[in-house]
Each structure stands twice: as structure tokens, then as C-alpha cells.
Amino acid sequence: MAFDYIVEQLSARKSLSRYRQRVCLQPTVKDNASQHFAMHDTKIIVAGKEYINFSSNDYLGLNNHPQINKAMQEGIDKFGLCSSSSSLVTGYHYAHQALEEKICQWLNKPKCLLFSSGFAANVAFFQTLGQSTGKESKHKSCHFFLDKLSHASMLDGAYSSNAKVKRFAHNNTTQLSQLLSQSDSKNKLIASEGIFSMDGDQAHLKGLTDTAKTHNAWLYLDDAHSIGVIGKEGQGSVSLLNDTKSSDTNIIMATFGKAIATSGAFLACDENLHDYLINFARHYIYSTAISPALAWATIKSIELIQQEQWRRDKITELSMLLRQLLDNSINIISSASSIHAIIIGDEQKALAVSKQLRKQGIWLTAIRPPTVKIGSSRLRVTLCTSHNTNDIKHLARSLNEALI
Ligand SMILES: Cc1ncc(COP(=O)(O)O)c(C=O)c1O
């Protein structure tokens, strides 16, 4: 039969306890009077049962914020929901320009470009920068050096480009330096996540910037899980990269679909790279621009993120509480972010614990290979501003019962 491998690969996934399925979240009633349905707080309803959600990336609790919703409606009224074209035709609206300017001011970067998702932005960047074949001269060849734990979209972009790709052991700048020393390319780029998505730990930014400077390399940071959550006014990694000279060559990508609580992504960089991507990045050129109404709503979300430090403080408080309450024998990765990874190891055990927690009204998805390395299946707990101390106490008690 044609395409036999579909069924074969699905059954292999099942036999390894790595098969994945979606769960459908049902709407919760927000306002009985108007019968207006919406998600709220940290509760989700799956198959008629309510759970506290510890697997959401709405880190700052901004999803469904009335001011962001109002800005979305205002954006629809002003610009329409759809951009109706790609950015280079007639899809680039005032809302997009205003959002780009907002991000440039926020992060103190010269230029910024919007993409329909973080995945698209990463693939676009690596494919486009690495498009030169380097056949003409080694001055045109390009080498990418990625942290081993970099997101799938960075790896896909890098490996589908013409660049040479090396991966260095997680946060290991000594190995990175060795690899850079062996490179004969004039065009070197180091790439890392700011906060790592599945471990919640932070990149060694000082080590990375120093190494980049020593080897005359550019630095690319995927700040998907840092933006909004860390740094002054939630600027993410840039607030920790305070050497303005080296920051000129630093490129920051972040998605709007996590702490910013809208959808899409941005890439902030210098003027030349910005123009280069507009002219050569196929994901940018041949794709409909993001919704202008969404761009308008995103500006409001960023304003709230800048003004409301208490949202970040609350994550820190809840994280400290969880760590205090968890039994010492539980293997939890140290983190200054919203993400707290509890390593279980075996896929089946991770699934069993996740199932047991559901009986206690807790939703915590088990993360398994190939998302994480074999033998490191885990529960990736995300603590959000909208959780309360009782939620954390209930989670810690349930985890202690399930794991010790
Ligand atoms: C580190 C990282 N980069 C990029 C992405 C992709 O972003 P988006 O969901 O906007 O496509 C994700 C999302 O899971 C991520 O965790």
C-alpha cells in the first residue's frame, strides 16, 4: 500500500509511549447574563471536568485581559481583522508599523520585523542568512553554532540552509570557543534560547557575548520564554546584555504567543539585516502579514507588560513557594523563569504521574522524546501570574504524593 510508513510510524510511537493526541479545551462561562463564553483564570475544562492548568505559556496571565480585548476590537474597527495581503504588497498597515516601533523602543533596537509565528521567524532567519553557498569564496560561507537544546524551529532553519551547522553542549562556552576556533568562515553566528523552553534555565549570556566578541561572531537569541517574564520592563535577554557595542550584532527573536498573550512573532536587529530579510526571506515575502488588529492588541499587551512589574514579582513568589513545598528528593531543574521542569526519566512513568495528577484536578502534560532527550521525560510545570498560593500548595502536595 502507498505510504505504508504512516501507519508503521504511528504504531512505533504508540509502542514507545510517545504517541501524542490533542485535548480540546471547552469554553468556560464568563458572564451568565450575556452568555458570553471565554477562558479565564488558570482553569480549563476538558471532557466536562475542570482542572488547574499548569501547562500554559500564558506566563503573565494576560490572555483575555479586558484592555487587550478592547484594543483587539478597536484594531478590527480601524484596520479590519485581516491584513489581506503580504507585507510587500498591501498587507503592511499602520498597526504593524506602530507595533514595530513600540518593540524597537522597548528593546532599544534599531529595527524590527513581524512574522506570523516564532517558528516562521526562526526558519526564515536561518534559511535566509545561510543561503549563500560559499562556493564562490570562503568569505561568503556561513557557519552556525547552536546550543544543543535549541528549539526545533532554529534547528530546522539552520539545517535547511546552506550554512555549516555545529551544535555545542548545552551552555558550554568552552566547547563553543573550540568549535569557533576551528571555523575558517568569516561569517559566524552563535544561537541560543534566552530561557530554555523545556528546562527553564537561562543561557549564560555573559559567556555567550564574550565568546561572540572574541571570535567576531554574531549572537542570535530566541527569547520566546524570556520576553515579558525577565528583565527591566519585561524586556527579556536584552536587559541583561548591557554592552551596547556588542548588542549591535545581537539579534533577538520572540513570539507573541506566550507571555505577550496574542499571536505572531518579531525579530529585532540592525538596519542592514532588516532590509536583507525583507528582500530575501521567503517566509516574509510570500506570506500574508499578521492580522493588523492583532498587532494593535499586541501594543496594548506590551504596554501592560512594561507597566506591571507585579506580574513578574508574582511569578518569582509562586516559584519560591513551590520549591519550598516540594520534597527535597524531587529532581527539579533550577530556574529563574516561569518554567520548572521535574525530570521523571521514563516515558511511561511521566504519563502515569500526569494521569494521577489529573485525578487531583491538575493538568500537567508529560513531555517526552523526541521533544526532550531519551530518558529525560518530564513534567514541565509553568507557574503563571494568574495562579494563587492555594493552587501552588495543591500542586506541591499532589506532586509529593505522586513522586515520593
Ligand atoms: C524557544 C521557542 N522558539 C520558538 C517557538 C515557536 O513560536 P510560535 O509558537 O510562535 O511558533 C517556540 C514555541 O513553542 C519556542 O518554545
Side-chain angles (χ1 to χ4, degrees):
M1 213 175 73
F3 302 105
D4 277 349
Y5 57 82
I6 294 178
V7 174
E8 279 163 26
Q9 289 186 12
L10 284 172
S11 21
R13 280 262 152 118
K14 282 180 188 158
S15 68
L16 289 167
S17 305
R18 291 179 197 164
Y19 181 68
R20 292 130 190 253
Q21 277 174 302
R22 298 173 300 172
V23 287
C24 181
L25 305 193
Q26 292 166 264
T28 53
V29 178
K30 188 188 182 194
D31 174 356
N32 282 333
S34 66
Q35 284 302 300
H36 180 87
F37 290 100
M39 293 256 298
H40 65 95
D41 303 326
T42 49
K43 306 285 192 300
I44 52 171
I45 298 183
V46 178
K49 188 173 171 201
E50 189 174 278
Y51 300 88
I52 309 169
N53 187 2
F54 285 102
S55 289
S56 163
N57 292 330
D58 179 20
Y59 301 132
L60 296 173
L62 285 171
N63 191 18
N64 214 21
H65 190 289
Q67 287 186 45
I68 302 174
N69 290 358
K70 188 162 164 251
M72 182 77 183
Q73 188 55 55
E74 212 176 86
I76 293 174
D77 296 340
K78 277 182 196 285
F79 313 101
L81 180 57
C82 181
S83 68
S84 306
S85 181
S86 64
S87 297
L88 296 190
V89 183
T90 56
Y92 184 60
H93 293 245
Y94 175 74
H96 299 119
Q97 189 183 51
L99 174 57
E100 287 176 0
E101 280 169 9
K102 178 80 192 164
I103 293 168
C104 288
Q105 282 166 9
W106 184 28
L107 304 192
N108 194 21
K109 298 294 285 181
K111 285 285 177 186
C112 167
L113 206 56
L114 307 177
F115 287 86
S116 56
S117 70
F119 204 104
N122 274 339
V123 173
F125 171 78
F126 286 98
Q127 272 183 356
T128 313
L129 195 68
Q131 72 181 349
S132 166
T133 60
K135 276 186 186 141
E136 305 96 289
S137 82
K138 77 173 181 191
H139 294 291
K140 288 198 174 160
S141 74
C142 179
H143 283 193
F144 294 151
F145 300 84
L146 278 76
D147 187 287
K148 194 94 186 170
L149 297 191
S150 295
H151 190 260
S153 52
M154 297 163 87
L155 298 174
D156 281 7
Y159 282 115
S160 61
S161 76
N162 290 319
K164 256 195 203 164
V165 183
K166 295 267 182 221
R167 291 167 75 184
F168 57 96
H170 179 48
N171 266 337
N172 186 335
T173 43
T174 310
Q175 191 194 23
L176 171 63
S177 273
Q178 284 162 2
L179 293 171
L180 282 158
S181 307
Q182 290 158 13
S183 165
D184 61 354
S185 174
K186 188 172 144 251
N187 310 306
K188 297 185 271 286
L189 177 113
I190 302 167
S192 173
E193 293 184 28
I195 299 264
F196 286 85
S197 53
M198 292 301 137
D199 291 49
D201 62 337
Q202 222 161 326
H204 294 172
L205 290 177
K206 172 91 175 72
L208 290 176
T209 45
D210 288 351
T211 311
K213 239 187 278 179
T214 309
H215 294 272
N216 204 14
W218 286 8
L219 177 61
Y220 181 89
L221 290 171
D222 176 334
D223 246 5
H225 301 275
S226 328
I227 201 78
V229 177
I230 62 161
K232 191 170 146 268
E233 296 187 357
Q235 290 168 308
S237 295
V238 281
S239 56
L240 310 167
L241 298 169
N242 43 20
D243 175 348
T244 47
K245 206 153 181 291
S246 74
S247 72
D248 293 346
T249 55
N250 292 330
I251 302 139
I252 306 283
M253 193 293 293
T255 158
F256 300 137
K258 302 190 194 291
I260 297 176
T262 60
S263 185
F266 72 84
L267 197 149
C269 57
D270 73 6
E271 189 146 359
N272 283 337
L273 180 60
H274 173 261
D275 282 357
Y276 178 68
L277 292 172
I278 288 178
N279 281 280
F280 294 99
R282 295 168 69 80
H283 280 78
Y284 192 75
I285 300 168
Y286 301 109
S287 184
T288 302
I290 66 166
S291 155
L294 206 55
W296 201 244
T298 304
I299 297 175
K300 177 47 75 182
S301 177
I302 294 173
E303 281 170 10
L304 292 168
I305 288 172
Q306 289 179 295
Q307 290 156 10
E308 299 190 342
Q309 176 58 35
W310 67 268
R311 292 182 183 272
R312 287 177 280 284
D313 295 342
K314 177 112 183 269
I315 293 173
T316 311
E317 276 167 38
L318 295 178
S319 301
M320 276 166 53
L321 180 64
L322 177 67
R323 280 161 191 276
Q324 271 165 20
L325 296 177
L326 277 187
D327 190 86
N328 284 338
S329 64
I330 293 177
N331 183 5
I332 182 164
I333 297 179
S334 153
S335 158
S337 72
S338 273
I339 305 164
H340 302 271
I342 297 173
I343 308 298
I344 308 285
D346 172 60
E347 289 91 330
Q348 277 174 14
K349 177 144 189 237
L351 282 173
V353 176
S354 168
K355 206 167 155 197
Q356 191 175 333
L357 291 170
R358 267 182 231 169
K359 289 187 192 142
Q360 312 297 323
I362 289 169
W363 195 276
L364 192 44
T365 309
I367 309 283
R368 293 158 287 152
T371 305
V372 292
K373 162 170 122 209
I374 293 173
S376 77
S377 290
R378 64 196 63 193
L379 300 170
R380 175 183 178 269
V381 179
T382 54
L383 299 186
C384 304
T385 303
S386 38
H387 285 121
N388 61 38
T389 49
N390 282 338
D391 295 335
I392 308 302
K393 285 178 187 164
H394 180 50
L395 172 69
R397 212 172 23 245
S398 308
L399 281 167
N400 287 341
E401 268 169 33
L403 292 169
I404 55 177

